[in-house]
Amino acid sequence: KKFAKDIEKVMVNLSQVQPDVAVTGMADGSVQGSFAFDENEITQVLLDVVDVTEDNGLKLPREFGLLVKQSLYFDRYLKILAPNLDVA
């Protein structure tokens, strides 16, 4: 039951992540679109997944850990090297 509740919490948090969607009509008649997410929300969902696996005795593939780690490093370096950069 604990595992089910933990998964439910992660899914609720994931469903609350709201993307910013922009669609623009171009002068040539084509359409351009973009998606943006709040990086903090995505990071929190990933950390929640890690917590659920650890709390329930599961092991994530090593590559998942490396992916999360690299995304956190990238975010940190981006803030240090270009604090005024708006990536949205």
Side-chain angles (χ1 to χ4, degrees), residues 36 39 78 82-88:
E39 297 157 7
L78 185 62
N84 297 323
L85 180 66
D86 182 12
V87 293

Side-chain angles (χ1 to χ4, degrees), residues 8-44:
E8 181 179 10
K9 177 186 168 201
V10 170
M11 295 307 293
V12 166
N13 290 346
L14 182 60
S15 70
Q16 292 175 351
V17 173
Q18 296 295 316
D20 293 323
V21 180
V23 179
T24 307
M26 306 305 285
D28 64 0
S30 64
V31 178
Q32 179 179 356
S34 66
F35 292 96
F37 294 93
D38 182 347
E39 297 157 7
N40 294 327
E41 289 178 338
I42 299 298
T43 300
Q44 188 57 52

Side-chain angles (χ1 to χ4, degrees), residues 75-87:
D75 185 52
R76 182 183 337 157
Y77 294 143
L78 185 62
K79 288 178 182 172
I80 291 170
L81 297 173
N84 297 323
L85 180 66
D86 182 12
V87 293

